[in-house]
Amino acid sequence: MAKKDNISSSVIQRLPRYYRFLNELDKEGITHVNSGELARRMRSTASQVRQDFNCFGEFGQQGIGYSVKSLTKEIENILGIKNRYPAILIGAGNIGTAIANHLTFENRCFKLIGIFDNDENKIGSDVADLTVQSITNISEFCKSNYVETAVLCVPKTAAADLAEQLYNLGIKSYWNFSHYDLKLLYPDIVVENVHLSDSLMQLCFRIKNNTK
Amino acid sequence: MAKKDNISSSVIQRLPRYYRFLNELDKEGITHVNSGELARRMRSTASQVRQDFNCFGEFGQQGIGYSVKSLTKEIENILGIKNRYPAILIGAGNIGTAIANHLTFENRCFKLIGIFDNDENKIGSDVADLTVQSITNISEFCKSNYVETAVLCVPKTAAADLAEQLYNLGIKSYWNFSHYDLKLLYPDIVVENVHLSDSLMQLCFRIKNNTK
């Protein structure tokens, strides 16, 4: 019944939010939800919700709504959540430590298998149940462990220095907090950039203009 | 010449990126840039760049391009960067500490004036040149200091407990890392949510489907 080939990128972008709300409903013991209630939580419209779910072949039952569990499972399949892609993280500072904890304890998409830093004070310490390794080990580690994804929690200049090495080690996907534009040099990689300063500037604009 | 009333939200969303790239150019000592070069850095098209800048009345000169400094200044004005809105941060864990440092040392939109936590081990310690205060001080602090924005770096349940207090203290803008949907209860506030897990799920989907 699924029509996955047709799912537009705008629907895909909304799926993580649906997933979060469905998880909440599940925790609250709610087994079925109608498009109106989901729309209210998403601050969307019931027709948008129905249209989104129709895209991947989920149709709510009249009077009962959607099954929370089966909808959750469908979204998990589409997004590939639970794939547990092996990931390494570079930069065990504050943001790196926060992200390492998030990866280890709050997500099922990735499995964090190594943390690296160049700071002698951090190497050997424990972060998110792993021991921080020297950045000089990274090449050997990636050759003896399959690594799908690198999480860059280093300053921009350090990311620039690391990029070629990681790319040559075969790492083709990145969760990038570094502000370094990896994609410019390596167009064949997959990158999800997190630019906290962009989010902050948007907030600034919205305060200035009182944009709700 | 500026036509600010007409700037669409999609242009506004691109402005922080332009701003970052213009800052880079400025650091490289580049005084003028044409739409083609900016488009290359933005992975956009020259005509998109020209169209965006036309929206707010900036026109590059034939053969010279745009002045990096005046374009930067114009974007600063539109976004309200340098407004230095007074902000408090709640939750001095790893993510909170990273964000506090970012706010204090890497941005000019906001001025961090207070950090609060409920953990006795954190209260009294120094983070980003401020001393972490007990969360029980928050009401008094907000009454004696003007606070525009609260940055929530606490778990979802803690955010739910805090929301009413902060709202009643008159705080109407939030940078929200907590996953708690503030906007649902308080539709008149301005919120910029940062959902790291959504970003991670998008990455997961793009790896699974090899979406560059």
Side-chain angles (χ1 to χ4, degrees):
Chain A
M1 189 193 281
K3 297 182 273 181
K4 289 177 195 170
D5 291 346
N6 299 329
I7 305 178
S8 73
S9 66
S10 56
V11 178
I12 294 297
Q13 277 176 12
R14 286 193 285 273
L15 290 185
R17 290 191 68 209
Y18 282 119
Y19 187 71
R20 274 194 284 116
F21 290 118
L22 288 164
N23 272 307
E24 278 175 25
L25 291 169
D26 189 44
K27 276 186 198 153
E28 292 167 21
I30 295 165
T31 59
H32 287 79
V33 63
N34 62 36
S35 51
E37 171 60 14
L38 260 177
R40 195 187 65 81
R41 296 210 182 203
M42 294 277 290
R43 280 191 305 282
S44 174
T45 64
S47 86
Q48 172 79 79
V49 169
R50 284 193 298 269
Q51 204 177 311
D52 284 353
F53 294 164
N54 281 351
C55 283
F56 54 89
E58 280 289 323
F59 305 99
Q61 276 183 272
Q62 191 78 35
I64 299 176
Y66 297 90
S67 155
V68 170
K69 279 211 192 299
S70 78
L71 203 46
T72 304
K73 208 168 166 52
E74 187 64 32
I75 295 176
E76 275 173 357
N77 289 339
I78 295 170
L79 293 178
I81 298 168
K82 296 193 172 172
N83 278 4
R84 309 279 290 153
Y85 294 115
I88 57 169
L89 181 143
I90 303 150
N94 287 312
I95 190 87
T97 301
I99 299 304
N101 282 311
H102 180 84
L103 283 167
T104 302
F105 304 116
E106 291 171 50
N107 103 96
R108 286 170 293 184
C109 314
F110 295 88
K111 180 177 167 57
L112 188 62
I113 59 169
I115 303 179
F116 300 85
D117 205 295
N118 63 359
D119 180 346
E120 288 297 332
N121 295 317
K122 287 178 186 135
I123 296 163
S125 67
D126 284 348
V127 170
D129 292 347
L130 289 166
T131 302
V132 178
Q133 301 180 57
S134 166
I135 192 80
T136 56
N137 292 356
I138 209 164
S139 184
E140 200 186 314
F141 185 91
C142 291
K143 282 170 189 164
S144 41
N145 296 275
Y146 174 66
V147 176
E148 173 69 42
T149 302
V151 183
L152 301 187
C153 299
V154 294
K156 189 172 178 175
T157 46
D161 292 342
L162 276 166
E164 189 179 359
Q165 185 185 12
L166 296 172
Y167 183 81
N168 289 337
L169 285 164
I171 302 178
K172 296 290 160 61
S173 61
Y174 296 85
W175 201 23
N176 182 24
F177 290 78
S178 78
H179 286 300
Y180 179 71
D181 189 351
L182 293 155
K183 198 84 179 166
L184 201 60
L185 279 175
Y186 308 107
D188 62 327
I189 60 176
V190 171
V191 187
E192 184 74 18
N193 293 303
V194 181
H195 288 299
L196 294 176
S197 59
D198 288 14
S199 167
L200 208 51
M201 286 190 255
Q202 293 289 344
L203 179 60
C204 203
F205 171 81
R206 292 172 60 206
I207 293 171
K208 177 171 171 272
N209 295 278
N210 200 19
T211 311
K212 298 296 185 303
Chain B
M1 187 195 285
K3 297 181 273 180
K4 289 177 195 170
D5 291 346
N6 300 329
I7 305 178
S8 73
S9 66
S10 56
V11 177
I12 294 297
Q13 277 176 13
R14 285 192 286 273
L15 290 185
R17 290 191 68 208
Y18 282 120
Y19 186 70
R20 275 193 283 116
F21 290 118
L22 288 165
N23 272 309
E24 278 175 24
L25 292 168
D26 190 44
K27 276 186 197 152
E28 291 168 21
I30 294 164
T31 60
H32 287 78
V33 63
N34 62 35
S35 50
E37 171 59 16
L38 261 177
R40 195 187 65 82
R41 295 210 183 205
M42 295 276 291
R43 280 192 305 282
S44 172
T45 64
S47 87
Q48 172 80 80
V49 169
R50 284 193 298 269
Q51 203 177 314
D52 284 354
F53 294 165
N54 282 350
C55 284
F56 53 89
E58 281 288 322
F59 303 100
Q61 276 184 275
Q62 191 76 35
I64 299 176
Y66 297 91
S67 156
V68 171
K69 280 210 192 300
S70 77
L71 203 47
T72 304
K73 208 170 168 50
E74 187 64 31
I75 295 175
E76 276 173 357
N77 289 338
I78 295 169
L79 293 178
I81 298 169
K82 296 194 172 172
N83 278 4
R84 309 280 289 152
Y85 294 116
I88 56 169
L89 181 144
I90 302 149
N94 287 312
I95 190 86
T97 301
I99 297 306
N101 282 312
H102 181 83
L103 283 167
T104 302
F105 304 116
E106 290 171 52
N107 103 97
R108 287 172 293 186
C109 314
F110 295 87
K111 181 177 167 57
L112 188 62
I113 60 168
I115 303 179
F116 299 86
D117 205 295
N118 64 358
D119 181 346
E120 288 298 332
N121 294 319
K122 287 179 187 137
I123 296 164
S125 67
D126 284 348
V127 170
D129 292 348
L130 290 165
T131 301
V132 177
Q133 301 179 57
S134 166
I135 193 81
T136 55
N137 292 355
I138 210 165
S139 184
E140 199 187 316
F141 185 91
C142 291
K143 283 172 188 164
S144 42
N145 296 275
Y146 174 66
V147 177
E148 173 69 42
T149 302
V151 183
L152 301 187
C153 298
V154 293
K156 190 171 178 175
T157 46
D161 292 342
L162 276 167
E164 189 179 358
Q165 184 185 14
L166 296 172
Y167 183 81
N168 289 336
L169 285 165
I171 302 178
K172 296 289 159 62
S173 61
Y174 295 85
W175 201 23
N176 182 24
F177 290 77
S178 77
H179 286 300
Y180 178 71
D181 190 350
L182 292 156
K183 197 84 179 167
L184 202 60
L185 279 176
Y186 308 107
D188 62 327
I189 61 175
V190 171
V191 187
E192 185 74 18
N193 293 303
V194 181
H195 288 299
L196 294 175
S197 59
D198 287 15
S199 168
L200 207 53
M201 285 189 256
Q202 293 290 344
L203 178 61
C204 203
F205 171 81
R206 292 171 60 206
I207 293 171
K208 178 172 171 271
N209 295 279
N210 200 19
T211 312
K212 298 297 185 305

